[in-house]
């Protein structure tokens, strides 16, 4: 194993990887050059300027495209050469050389190359067997693609180096944990490599979440532009189906990554731990998500899929090839959820600081813990449903296809037993953020702390008892419908506890309205829209009418935005000074808020209103006679506004890290443990373990200490 690692990690191997990466960068730049300089106005202007050199127009028309192609090829070749040379230690005095040199050593690049190579190897392996059986070589053969995709996950993890320590340990080698920036590398290198520190992993989750969020948002804007007018404008039905299906699963992956970001970064800090209980497993939980995202996006390039994110059988059994990569990517992402959940649960129960009983934990930890319990216990069921679908398509088994004696309702039961509780995986950490921040900006104790904590567990528990309300129109018996309707209504009880607590916490508080507080209040208003419109879909008569309408789209978006996206933005603004050591620009934060909140109100109410008027979800077109054209335009415009507001947030964070003043250690005057540490936070969080001596949210009460940051030593 060590000999293989020496070969793979040799200078020549790095040079090859740097050359490949340079070729990809050069290919992107060459494509941009061709796209820009072949545009008719630009091409005409360039030819006009070259005309002053007395070059005949006919010669220009002939030579111009050739010259552009030659320049594009030279760009690619130049990047390949510089990449190969940088891997051998040359060109270190150039920006491009340094960029390609360091990038060629990151786990991101090695993981992607490992995934590509192993996919080709796995695909070829199956094709060799097909040739021996008398078939022809076919790279797009479904069995070969599926096997290649499975092997590509392993190749990605091996290439990234996630499995290296475990493999060395199996071989009898010592594998001590490595902390800090690798020797000779810049600080940013940590965030593109396998790192075991929970803060680095939390930032990796967060940045990836934002990237995936924007990808899913772009998909939404494309098909929203299509829906802004009746009739088909620029998409065909297959393209529309793939875009809205990909939008759904990509956004769900983004939210799961965001939950991982907050939980990984904050939980150890809040409970006084130096790291997660299983640091290597923590790194694994992030890095297995990267190739799964690649598989989902790759599915769009091989036919896409028309099943929505739910992938209902038997439609998914007849969908294009892309659905297989979507199902595999979805399945592999479940490993990330389970591994992350194990770490959260074990860390919370075994690594709390001295004096921190369960009911003295910061309230966000309760939300993260409840979400982790759902992830750990429910994810297996959707994994079963997805693997059965893959096996039915690839191996010829029969589970769901009624033509062969299967039962499509079985898929729905397995799918929704996970997929309804997973909604609470999305929102419970977000609701924890609301409860965490309200006392800070109200300067009052959190009202009903214990009830809030237990309500998170209550939501998690009841969430397992309501899955079949998604199936009221699937043909179940009336008796079963009534049982699930009643159980669905019970969700309102623990959710209502949170709302009453939030209102009581705000009441007569000394409120301040910095950007994090604005987003907390915005989250409450938007989540209230989702909460009020939810029981209408949980009640049999109204759900039978609205089930497949845009009312569901409006309700679900309100639940997700109010329960996660707005709290996530609040968390980013709130902990940004601790992460970067700088304050963000408050004016841009407020601009982001005042664009996003009213925009979302209009979008959500607009979606629900066209649903009442007869607009079905998942439809690529609609009748002009419905009278919803103006509302469709309004929804599309507000989607664009929301997208621009998020871009403002990203710009604010990038620019402020260099230009804004250095932040105070505790600018919000929080009692939470992470704000009592220096900025930047030390590698192992706390140089001296602290002791909990009071209640976490006794803001405004005299002599109400929560932490003793320098407890007396009890002996050697």
């Amino acid at each position: 194993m060590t000999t293989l690692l020496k070969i793979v990690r040799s200078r020549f191997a790095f040079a090859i990887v740097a050359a490949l990466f340079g070729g990809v960068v050069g290919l992107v730049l060459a494509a941009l050059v061709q796209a820009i300089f072949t545009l008719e106005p630009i091409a005409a202007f360039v030819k006009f300027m070259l005309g002053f050199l007395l070059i005949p127009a006919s010669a220009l028309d002939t030579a111009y495209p050739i010259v552009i192609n030659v320049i594009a090829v030279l760009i690619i070749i130049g990047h390949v050469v510089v990449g190969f040379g940088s891997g051998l230690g040359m060109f270190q005095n150039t920006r491009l050389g340094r960029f390609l040199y360091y990038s060629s050593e990151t786990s991101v690049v090695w993981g992607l190359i490992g995934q590509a190579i192993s996919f080709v190897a796995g695909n070829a392996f199956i094709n060799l067997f097909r040739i021996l059986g008398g078939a022809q070589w076919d790279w797009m053969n479904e069995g070969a693609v599926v096997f290649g995709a499975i092997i590509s996950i392993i190749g990605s993890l091996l290439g990234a180096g996630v499995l290296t320590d475990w493999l060395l340990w199996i071989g009898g080698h010592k594998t001590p944990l490595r902390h800090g920036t690798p020797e000779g590398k810049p600080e940013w290198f940590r965030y593109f490599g396998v790192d075991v520190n929970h803060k680095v992993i939390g930032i990796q989750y967060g940045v990836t979440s934002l990237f995936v969020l924007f990808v899913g948002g772009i998909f939404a804007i494309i098909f929203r532009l299509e829906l802004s007018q009746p009739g088909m404008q620029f998409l065909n039905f297959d393209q529309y189906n793939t875009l809205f299906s990909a939008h759904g699963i990509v956004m769900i992956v983004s939210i799961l990554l965001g939950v991982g970001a907050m939980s990984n970064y904050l939980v150890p800090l809040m409970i006084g731990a130096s790291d997660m209980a299983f640091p290597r497993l923590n790194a694994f939980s992030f890095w297995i998500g990267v190739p799964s995202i690649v598989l989902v996006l790759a599915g769009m390039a091989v036919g896409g899929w028309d099943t929505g994110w739910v992938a209902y059988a038997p439609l998914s059994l007849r969908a294009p090839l892309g659905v297989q990569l979507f199902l595999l990517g979805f399945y592999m992402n479940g490993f990330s959820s389970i591994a992350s959940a194990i770490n959260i649960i074990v860390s919370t129960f075994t690594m709390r600081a001295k004096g921190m009983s369960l009911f003295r934990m910061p309230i966000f930890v309760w939300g993260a813990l409840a979400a982790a319990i759902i992830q750990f216990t429910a994810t297996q069921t959707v994994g079963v449903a997805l693997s059965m679908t893959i096996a039915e398509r690839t191996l010829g088994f029969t589970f769901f296809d009624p033509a062969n004696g299967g039962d499509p309702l079985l898929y729905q039961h397995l799918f929704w037993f996970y997929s309804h509780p997973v909604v609470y995986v999305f929102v419970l950490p977000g609701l924890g953020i609301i409860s965490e921040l309200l006392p800070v900006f109200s300067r009052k104790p959190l009202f009903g702390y214990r009830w809030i904590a237990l309500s998170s567990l209550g939501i998690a528990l009841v969430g397992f008892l309501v899955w079949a309300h998604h199936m009221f129109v699937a043909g179940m018996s009336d008796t079963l419908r009534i049982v699930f309707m009643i159980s669905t209504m019970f969700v309102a009880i623990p959710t209502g506890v949170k709302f009453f607590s939030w209102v009581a916490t705000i009441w007569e508080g000394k409120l301040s309205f910095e950007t994090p507080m604005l987003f907390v209040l915005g989250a409450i208003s938007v989540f209230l829209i989702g909460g009020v419109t939810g029981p209408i879909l949980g009640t049999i008569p109204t759900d039978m009418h609205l089930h497949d309408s845009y009312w569901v789209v409006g309700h679900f978006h309100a639940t997700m935005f109010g329960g996660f996206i707005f709290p996530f933005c609040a968390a980013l603004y709130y902990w940004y000074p601790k992460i970067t050591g700088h304050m963000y620009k408050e004016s841009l934060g407020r601009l982001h808020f005042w664009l996003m909140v009213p925009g979302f109100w209009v979008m959500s109410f607009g979606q629900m209103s066209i649903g009442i008027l007869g607009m079905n979800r998942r439809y690529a077109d609609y009748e002009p006679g419905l009278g919803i054209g103006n509302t469709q335009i309004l929804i599309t415009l507000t989607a664009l506004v929301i997208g621009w507001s998020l871009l403002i947030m990203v710009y604010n964070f990038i620019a402020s890290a260099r230009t804004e003043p250095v932040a105070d250690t505790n600018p919000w005057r929080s009692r939470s443990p992470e704000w009592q540490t220096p900025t930047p936070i030390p590698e192992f969080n706390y140089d001296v373990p602290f002791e909990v001596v009071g209640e976490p949210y006794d803001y405004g009460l005299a002599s109400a200490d929560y932490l003793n940051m320098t407890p007396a030593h009890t002996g050697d």
Side-chain angles (χ1 to χ4, degrees):
M1 184 64 194
T2 54
T3 304
L4 180 62
L5 281 175
K6 289 179 181 179
I7 295 173
V8 173
R9 298 297 185 179
S10 66
R11 173 161 285 192
F12 182 76
F14 279 116
I16 295 295
V17 172
L20 290 172
F21 182 64
V24 172
V25 174
L27 186 64
V28 173
L29 293 176
L32 287 174
V33 167
Q34 286 189 312
I36 293 171
F37 286 95
T38 54
L39 289 173
E40 188 56 36
I42 296 177
F45 176 75
V46 173
K47 292 176 184 178
F48 172 75
M49 297 300 295
L50 291 174
F52 288 105
L53 300 177
L54 302 180
I55 301 174
S58 59
L60 280 175
D61 291 337
T62 303
Y64 184 79
I66 298 175
V67 171
I68 294 299
N69 288 331
V70 169
I71 292 173
V73 171
L74 289 175
I75 289 173
I76 297 172
I77 294 174
H79 279 76
V80 171
V81 171
V82 173
F84 187 78
S86 68
L88 295 176
M90 298 182 288
F91 306 117
Q92 297 302 301
N93 58 338
T94 66
R95 287 187 177 182
L96 179 60
R98 285 195 301 271
F99 170 70
L100 295 178
Y101 173 74
Y102 288 122
S103 298
S104 66
E105 297 188 25
T106 61
S107 297
V108 175
V109 172
W110 277 82
L112 292 175
I113 290 176
Q115 185 169 12
I117 292 174
S118 54
F119 174 81
V120 172
N123 192 304
F125 179 77
I126 297 299
N127 269 298
L128 287 173
F129 276 97
R130 295 183 70 248
I131 289 177
L132 293 175
Q136 292 184 334
W137 191 286
D138 182 8
W139 287 108
M140 289 295 104
N141 173 265
E142 189 158 314
V145 169
V146 169
F147 186 75
I150 294 171
I151 298 300
S152 77
I153 296 289
I154 301 172
S156 176
L157 296 175
L158 289 171
V162 185
L163 306 179
T164 301
D165 280 1
W166 288 328
L167 292 174
L168 288 172
W169 177 76
I170 291 172
H173 301 278
K174 292 183 178 180
T175 55
L177 287 173
R178 295 174 295 277
H179 292 276
T181 304
E183 186 177 353
K185 301 294 190 299
E187 177 66 24
W188 60 262
F189 190 87
R190 292 187 75 178
Y191 299 94
F192 293 89
V194 176
D195 197 290
V196 295
N197 186 281
H198 75 96
K199 297 184 291 296
V200 173
I201 295 171
I203 292 172
Q204 289 173 330
Y205 267 111
V207 173
T208 309
S209 172
L210 290 174
F211 171 76
V212 176
L213 179 72
F214 280 111
V215 171
I218 290 170
F219 294 162
I221 287 172
I222 293 172
F223 70 72
R224 278 304 330 166
L225 290 170
E226 176 61 60
L227 286 171
S228 60
Q229 292 291 327
M232 301 305 292
Q233 272 57 245
F234 57 92
L235 295 176
N236 60 40
F237 291 145
D238 289 337
Q239 291 169 337
Y240 180 88
N241 287 340
T242 294
L243 280 171
F244 92 76
S245 300
H247 165 73
I249 189 60
V250 166
M251 287 305 221
I252 286 171
V253 169
S254 170
I255 293 174
L256 285 171
L257 288 167
V259 170
M262 295 190 295
S263 298
N264 275 277
Y265 194 91
L266 295 175
V267 167
L269 287 169
M270 288 182 163
I271 65 175
S274 59
D275 208 320
M276 286 288 190
F278 308 112
R280 291 186 181 91
L281 186 64
N282 202 21
F284 172 86
S285 69
F286 169 75
W287 285 100
I288 196 173
V290 175
S292 69
I293 295 168
V294 173
L295 286 183
V296 171
L297 296 178
M300 301 179 66
V302 290
W305 64 96
D306 55 3
T307 64
W309 78 277
V310 294
Y312 276 170
L315 180 58
S316 59
L317 303 176
R318 299 167 175 79
L321 175 60
V323 76
Q324 289 280 47
L325 298 183
F326 152 60
L327 294 171
L328 280 168
F330 194 171
Y331 180 88
M332 292 300 176
N333 198 261
F335 280 98
S336 175
S337 291
I338 294 170
S340 181
I342 291 171
N343 249 326
I344 296 295
I345 294 170
V346 175
S347 300
T348 302
F349 280 111
T350 65
M351 301 181 70
R352 298 191 307 275
K354 181 181 179 181
M356 184 179 284
S357 63
L358 288 175
F359 288 108
R360 282 183 167 182
M361 293 192 304
I363 200 68
F364 171 78
V365 180
W366 279 98
L369 176 62
I373 291 172
I374 296 173
Q375 287 177 287
F376 181 62
T377 54
T379 306
Q380 293 86 346
T381 57
V382 75
V384 169
L386 297 173
S387 60
M388 290 166 73
T389 306
I390 295 168
E392 185 158 356
R393 282 187 61 127
T394 309
L395 303 176
F397 294 166
T398 298
F399 299 112
F400 307 127
D401 192 345
N404 297 319
D407 185 0
L409 288 183
L410 173 61
Y411 178 91
Q412 293 191 33
H413 280 291
L414 291 170
F415 181 86
W416 285 115
F417 187 79
Y418 160 80
S419 295
H420 189 86
V422 82
V423 172
Y424 304 118
V425 172
F426 302 157
V427 304
L428 282 171
L431 304 185
I433 292 294
I434 296 173
S435 300
E436 188 72 42
L437 268 58
L438 270 181
V440 177
F441 293 97
S442 299
R443 309 314 298 175
K444 275 186 59 184
L446 178 64
F447 185 86
Y449 167 89
R450 293 195 175 212
W451 286 100
I452 288 264
L454 294 174
S455 71
S456 294
L457 296 180
I459 290 173
L461 175 62
V462 178
F464 281 99
L465 307 176
V466 304
W467 78 90
H469 70 228
H470 293 273
M471 301 167 58
F472 283 162
V473 299
M476 68 171 64
S477 69
D478 290 338
T479 301
L480 202 55
R481 285 188 184 130
I482 292 171
V483 169
F484 279 101
M485 179 181 72
I486 294 172
S487 66
T488 299
M489 296 301 108
F490 279 115
V491 178
I493 298 173
T495 307
V497 167
K498 292 186 182 294
F499 272 100
F500 285 121
S501 170
W502 296 337
V503 173
T505 301
I506 294 171
W507 189 260
E508 294 187 347
K510 297 179 180 179
L511 305 182
S512 58
F513 297 99
E514 290 85 355
T515 300
M517 180 60 163
L518 291 177
F519 273 96
V520 165
L521 297 176
I524 294 173
S525 70
V526 172
F527 190 66
L528 183 61
I529 296 172
V532 170
T533 57
I536 296 172
L537 296 173
T539 306
I540 298 167
T542 47
D543 180 72
M544 299 289 282
H545 175 67
L546 295 170
H547 181 80
D548 265 326
S549 74
Y550 246 76
W551 177 280
V552 180
V553 178
H555 158 72
F556 187 69
H557 279 75
T559 304
M560 292 299 96
F561 268 75
F564 176 79
I565 300 295
F566 279 94
F568 187 48
C569 291
L572 291 175
Y573 282 108
Y574 181 73
W575 278 283
Y576 178 84
K578 202 65 187 174
I579 295 171
T580 66
H582 292 264
M583 290 301 295
Y584 59 86
K585 197 169 186 64
E586 185 70 28
S587 59
L588 289 179
R590 291 175 181 271
L591 176 62
H592 171 200
F593 172 80
W594 288 113
L595 286 174
M596 189 167 166
V597 173
F600 185 82
W601 288 340
V602 172
M603 186 182 79
S604 186
F605 283 122
Q607 289 170 331
M608 287 186 282
S609 67
I610 65 174
I612 292 176
L613 294 174
M615 177 66 190
N616 285 319
R617 58 176 172 162
R618 306 189 181 112
Y619 275 35
D621 197 10
Y622 53 93
E623 288 290 336
L626 290 176
I628 60 176
N630 291 335
T631 308
Q632 291 279 26
I633 294 173
L634 195 60
I635 295 170
T636 302
L637 290 175
T638 53
L640 289 167
V641 169
I642 292 169
W644 277 111
S645 70
L646 288 168
L647 285 173
I648 290 171
M649 178 188 74
V650 172
Y651 168 77
N652 190 3
F653 288 161
I654 294 173
S656 297
R658 298 190 176 202
T659 61
E660 290 305 298
V662 174
D664 293 335
T665 301
N666 188 0
W668 313 120
R669 296 180 295 141
S670 170
R671 293 165 61 89
S672 191
E674 74 274 14
W675 291 104
Q676 318 310 319
T677 62
T679 303
I681 301 173
E683 181 73 17
F684 298 102
N685 298 340
Y686 301 99
D687 295 328
V688 177
F690 62 79
E691 181 180 355
V692 174
V693 295
E695 302 302 321
Y697 298 103
D698 284 348
Y699 290 95
L701 302 181
S703 302
D705 293 331
Y706 175 44
L707 305 172
N708 179 7
M709 298 302 296
T710 56
H713 291 288
T714 57
D716 294 332

